[in-house]
Amino acid sequence: TPNSRKSNRRTQSFYLAFSYMKLYRSNAEPEFVYLSDSGIPASVRRDLVRHDKKLIIPNNSPEADAEYSFFSNDELKTKSIETSKRNEIAYYKYLGEQLLRQSGLSYAIVRVSELIELPDADISAIELKQENGDIIPVSISDAANVCVCSILDPTACNKSFYVSKISSRSSQASSVVPFEEGLSVKLSRLKSNS
């Protein structure tokens, strides 16, 4: 009978604990564009991030596979202050990238080497790469245009890339397309991080 079935059923409760959850929303374009540093390698192993020294050791560095050693006082004095400051900035920008990736927001990470002021920037001669070799500095207006176009382009979702000027020696320099048309095509060729 239906009444006897109800008496046999017992409500059981359980506890489910989450330590990490990432939700994916279907956004058409990135919610956040992060301007980062080209000093950050394309892939960073956890053991190459030195939190104690606020430093990222490049993958191709002899230190990457060697035992870690501390600098002597003489070596520390000879190190350039600018280099150590740039390494520290790259370290903090890397931490920002990691926070953004773990946030659940859709993003585009734009990495540039340095921003230079050029009055008449040629924005059509921009190259987007996923490796950080041969990065040529771009103008402030080039970087701004890439950031604005990335936030409006669905193909930029969850991608990190390096922005560089196309060198005059490059074979790509002869086949330059208009910036607005070319950026979407260039972004679609890049691999997504997720």
Side-chain angles (χ1 to χ4, degrees):
T1 65
N3 289 338
S4 64
R5 285 186 191 163
K6 284 185 182 177
S7 63
N8 288 339
R9 279 193 225 162
R10 290 166 67 195
T11 307
Q12 294 182 356
S13 61
F14 64 93
Y15 176 76
L16 180 62
F18 284 100
S19 62
Y20 180 78
M21 179 187 286
K22 187 169 186 176
L23 300 173
Y24 293 96
R25 297 182 298 274
S26 59
N27 290 335
E29 55 276 313
E31 296 171 285
F32 199 94
V33 174
Y34 186 73
L35 187 62
S36 192
D37 194 317
S38 68
I40 301 170
S43 63
V44 179
R45 296 188 334 228
R46 280 192 173 156
D47 61 330
L48 298 181
V49 179
R50 298 293 310 266
H51 296 291
D52 58 338
K53 294 185 180 185
K54 298 180 177 121
L55 176 70
I56 301 170
I57 300 170
N59 289 339
N60 57 0
S61 168
E63 283 185 75
D65 296 320
E67 289 290 319
Y68 296 117
S69 61
F70 292 98
F71 293 108
S72 68
N73 286 337
D74 295 333
E75 289 174 319
L76 282 173
K77 288 176 187 174
T78 60
K79 279 186 76 171
S80 167
I81 293 174
E82 280 186 32
T83 303
S84 64
K85 197 67 162 169
R86 179 167 164 77
N87 289 342
E88 189 174 335
I89 290 169
Y91 167 79
Y92 283 113
K93 287 190 176 187
Y94 169 76
L95 292 180
E97 287 184 14
Q98 295 308 307
L99 287 172
L100 181 59
R101 286 184 176 144
Q102 295 170 2
S103 71
L105 296 172
S106 58
Y107 61 86
I109 298 173
V110 180
R111 295 176 177 153
V112 296
S113 65
E114 67 181 273
L115 299 171
I116 54 176
E117 287 195 42
L118 292 175
D120 293 343
D122 182 15
I123 59 173
S124 63
I126 292 293
E127 183 178 17
L128 305 181
K129 309 191 232 183
Q130 290 200 290
E131 296 297 323
N132 64 343
D134 293 331
I135 303 293
I136 300 171
V138 296
S139 71
I140 296 169
S141 64
D142 288 339
N145 282 328
V146 170
C147 289
V148 168
C149 290
S150 294
I151 204 162
L152 299 173
D153 195 332
T155 60
C157 277
N158 299 329
K159 294 183 180 179
S160 58
F161 52 91
Y162 299 88
V163 179
S164 176
K165 277 287 196 192
I166 296 176
S167 67
S168 58
R169 292 173 276 151
S170 174
S171 61
Q172 293 177 348
S174 60
S175 62
V176 171
V177 293
F179 182 77
E180 291 78 14
E181 297 170 20
L183 186 65
S184 186
V185 171
K186 291 174 185 179
L187 284 167
S188 66
R189 291 182 187 146
L190 299 174
K191 292 187 300 182
S192 179
N193 292 334
S194 53

